[in-house]
Amino acid sequence: MARVPQTFLDALAVRTWCVLALEGLGRAREEIDAINVYPVADGDTGTNLYLTMESAVTAVEAVFAGHAVGAGEPGKPALADTVRAMAHGALIGARGNSGTILAQLLRGMAKVLAADGDQPHTDGSGLRLALRHAADSARHAVAHPVEGTVLSVASAAADAAGAAEGDCGTVARAAHAGACAALAATPGQLAVLRRAGVVDAGGRGLVAVLAALVETFTGEAPSGVPAPGGEVHGIGAGGLGGPVEECADAVAEGGPAFEVIYLLEAEDAAVARLRERLDGLGDSLVVVGGDGLWNVHVHVDDAGAAVEAGVEAGRPYRIRITHFGAGDVHTAGAGRPPGERAQRAVVAVVPGEGLAGLYAEAGATTVLARPGEPPASGELVDAVRRAHAREVVLLPNDADLRHTAAAAAEQARTEGIRVALIPTRSAVQGIAALAVHEPERRFDEDVVSMTSAAGATRYAEVAVAEHQSWTMAGICQAGDVLGLIEGDVAVIGADVTATAETVLDRMLQAGGELVTLVLGDEAPESVAERLEARVRESYLAVDTVVYRGGRQGALLLIGVE
C-alpha cells in the first residue's frame, strides 16, 4: 500500500523509516536466517537484525512520547535528538555480528545528521553524506573487513548515493539500487556464499533497510531485491538445502567455539587496547560505539578471556555468550538444550532483583527490567527458550510491554512452544497469578485461573516525579510524590508515607482481602510498618504481606486482592 512520502529527512521521516525497516526485516527475517552461512552458519542474521532495529525503534518512539514541544513544531522532536536516540537504541540492543554492524551504520548516519543540532531537517546532499559516513564507519569498526559481505553492500550504496543528484527520494533510490547490485555480486566475491548458492545475509538485511528508506521518501516500496536463494549468476533458488547444510558444517568445524557480545563503558584509549587484545584471541571482531559506550562482538575459543579483556578495559555488562557447537537458539531446526523438557513453565518480567528472587523461588524464569531499560521481544523469546518447557505462561507485568510480549509469544509459537500471554500490568498482578499456578492442571484451566487472579488484583505504585507535568490529579512538580492507581496519577503529595496511605485507603474503599506491598530500595523504612498498622486498625479481615523489591524504579508497589 502506498504511503504519504516525506520530502525531507526530519525527525518524522526518521521515525517512519525505522518503523518501515523493522516491518521489512520482520517479513524477511526467516529467509535471511535461512541463507546465513557467513561468518558462522548459525541461522540468526535475520533475527539479529530485527532485534537490533527493534531496539532502535523503541528508542525513537520514546523520544516522540517524551517530547511535548520540540524544535520548531509542537510534539515533534529535533532531528538531532531523534537520530541520536536511533543510534543509541541500536547500539545497546545490537545482536550478533550483523546487528553490531547495523548499529554502527546507523551511528555513522547519526553523526552527520546530528552535527548541526539546530537543523530541523536535511536534504538529498545531507543524506548522501550520511550514507557515506555510515559505510566508512562500519568498515572501520570491523577488525578485518571482508568483501562480499554487508560492508561491500553498504559501500556500494554510498557510492551510488554519492553519484545521485536530487532530493532525498532520488538519493535513497540510488542507494537501494547500488545495494541490490552489490548484493547480487556477493557470491562472486565470497566462496562460501558461492558454494551455498546464496547472497550475503547481512547484505540482504541492509537492502531491506534501504528499501524502507525509499518507501519513506517516495511512498512506495521498491522492487528488484535479489532472491535470497541466490538467483544471481545462474544459481538457482531451489538448491538451498544441501549446499547450505554442507557449508554450515565446513564453517562450524573451522571457526571458534563461542560468540561473545557485551556492552562496555570505557575510554577511547582503553578500547583501542581492547581491540588489539581481542584480535589476538579470535575473529569476527567488531567494536562499535563511542562517547564512553561501546558494543563489543567477537568469536573466540576462550570466552572467559574475552570477557576478562573487557573488564580490564572498563565495565562490561549485558554479557551474552553463545556456544556455536550447541546450535544457536535462533535457528529453527537447532538442537535444544540437553535433558527432557518440562511440561509447563512461567516466564515473567520483573522490575527489581528482589522480585526476581521471589519469582524464581516460585519456579518462574525471570527477565529483569531495569528502570528505563525495558526488555526487547528477543530477550523474552530467549527466556521462553531457557524455560525449556512444552507450555509457557508469559507474564509481562507492565502495560507498556503488551505488544513486545505478544511478539515474543508469536515467535515462540513458531518454534513449537505453546505460549499463553496473560496481560499482567504490574508485578503484583504477576504475584497473584503465580500464587494460583498449578502445573498439574490442564493448560487452559491453569491459564484461566491465573488470568482471573491477576485481573482481580488492583494495582498501584508510589513514585517521585522527575519533572513538571500535567496529570489527572493536577499539575505536579519535580520531586513531588505521586500515587498512581491502575496507571493513572490519583494523588500528588510531599511525603511518601502519607501519599501511600491515601492511595491504599482509596484502593480498599472497594474492598479487599489481601494487601501486597513491594518496597523499593529507596523507600523509607517506616512506610511498610505504617501501612501494615493502617490495615490492622482500619480494615478488619484484611491481611498484609511485604516483599523487598530492590532497585525496582518505583518506591512502592501496592496490590489489593
Side-chain angles (χ1 to χ4, degrees), residues 350-358 368 517-521 546-555 557:
V350 291
E353 293 87 347
L355 279 177
L358 173 67
L368 189 61
L517 304 175
V518 183
L519 275 67
D521 277 350
V546 180
Y547 301 110
R548 294 283 176 178
R551 293 173 294 175
Q552 61 184 22
L555 297 174
L557 302 178

Side-chain angles (χ1 to χ4, degrees), residues 262-285:
Y262 49 79
L263 291 178
L264 177 70
E265 293 178 358
E267 299 298 325
D268 289 6
V271 171
R273 293 191 294 272
L274 175 66
R275 288 178 190 270
E276 294 182 5
R277 174 83 181 276
L278 293 178
D279 195 26
L281 289 175
D283 58 30
S284 296
L285 173 61

Side-chain angles (χ1 to χ4, degrees), residues 243-322:
V244 171
E245 292 169 2
E246 292 167 10
C247 182
D249 294 339
V251 175
E253 289 174 4
F258 297 97
E259 177 185 59
V260 178
I261 307 173
Y262 49 79
L263 291 178
L264 177 70
E265 293 178 358
E267 299 298 325
D268 289 6
V271 171
R273 293 191 294 272
L274 175 66
R275 288 178 190 270
E276 294 182 5
R277 174 83 181 276
L278 293 178
D279 195 26
L281 289 175
D283 58 30
S284 296
L285 173 61
V286 185
V287 180
V288 304
D291 302 320
L293 180 63
W294 308 82
N295 191 304
V296 179
H297 169 280
V298 67
H299 295 173
V300 293
D301 282 320
D302 190 343
V307 176
E308 289 172 7
V311 173
E312 293 175 4
R315 186 179 80 87
Y317 60 104
R318 289 197 186 179
I319 300 168
R320 176 182 171 88
I321 300 172
T322 300

Side-chain angles (χ1 to χ4, degrees), residues 224-461:
V225 177
E231 287 186 350
V232 293
H233 299 291
I235 301 174
L240 268 173
V244 171
E245 292 169 2
E246 292 167 10
C247 182
D249 294 339
V251 175
E253 289 174 4
F258 297 97
E259 177 185 59
V260 178
I261 307 173
Y262 49 79
L263 291 178
L264 177 70
E265 293 178 358
E267 299 298 325
D268 289 6
V271 171
R273 293 191 294 272
L274 175 66
R275 288 178 190 270
E276 294 182 5
R277 174 83 181 276
L278 293 178
D279 195 26
L281 289 175
D283 58 30
S284 296
L285 173 61
V286 185
V287 180
V288 304
D291 302 320
L293 180 63
W294 308 82
N295 191 304
V296 179
H297 169 280
V298 67
H299 295 173
V300 293
D301 282 320
D302 190 343
V307 176
E308 289 172 7
V311 173
E312 293 175 4
R315 186 179 80 87
Y317 60 104
R318 289 197 186 179
I319 300 168
R320 176 182 171 88
I321 300 172
T322 300
H323 182 208
F324 292 129
D328 187 84
V329 292
H330 293 307
T331 309
R336 294 290 175 181
E340 182 64 26
R341 281 180 180 272
Q343 181 59 34
R344 189 173 309 157
V346 176
V347 172
V349 179
V350 291
E353 293 87 347
L355 279 177
L358 173 67
Y359 272 75
E361 287 176 7
T365 298
T366 61
V367 178
L368 189 61
R370 294 180 173 82
E373 297 183 14
S377 64
E379 294 177 73
L380 301 188
V381 174
D382 285 347
V384 171
R385 292 172 179 133
R386 288 201 314 272
H388 199 47
R390 298 183 182 88
E391 302 167 340
V392 172
V393 179
L394 182 56
L395 306 175
N397 291 340
D398 186 336
D400 292 335
L401 288 177
R402 180 183 59 179
H403 296 301
T404 301
E410 189 61 33
Q411 169 63 28
R413 291 183 188 116
T414 66
E415 299 176 12
I417 305 171
R418 189 180 184 188
V419 181
L421 171 61
I422 297 178
T424 49
R425 294 171 287 175
S426 170
V428 292
Q429 288 189 323
I431 291 172
L434 264 180
V436 300
H437 170 52
E438 291 186 15
E440 293 77 17
R441 273 193 300 224
R442 289 178 56 248
F443 185 63
D444 292 339
E445 292 177 356
D446 198 27
V447 170
V448 169
S449 178
M450 294 175 72
T451 302
S452 177
T457 302
R458 301 186 299 282
Y459 65 96
E461 67 177 74

Side-chain angles (χ1 to χ4, degrees), residues 51-76:
L51 295 175
T52 302
M53 200 70 222
E54 181 184 54
S55 185
V57 168
T58 300
V60 169
E61 291 299 328
V63 170
F64 272 81
H67 200 96
V69 179
E73 277 185 56
K76 178 181 173 183

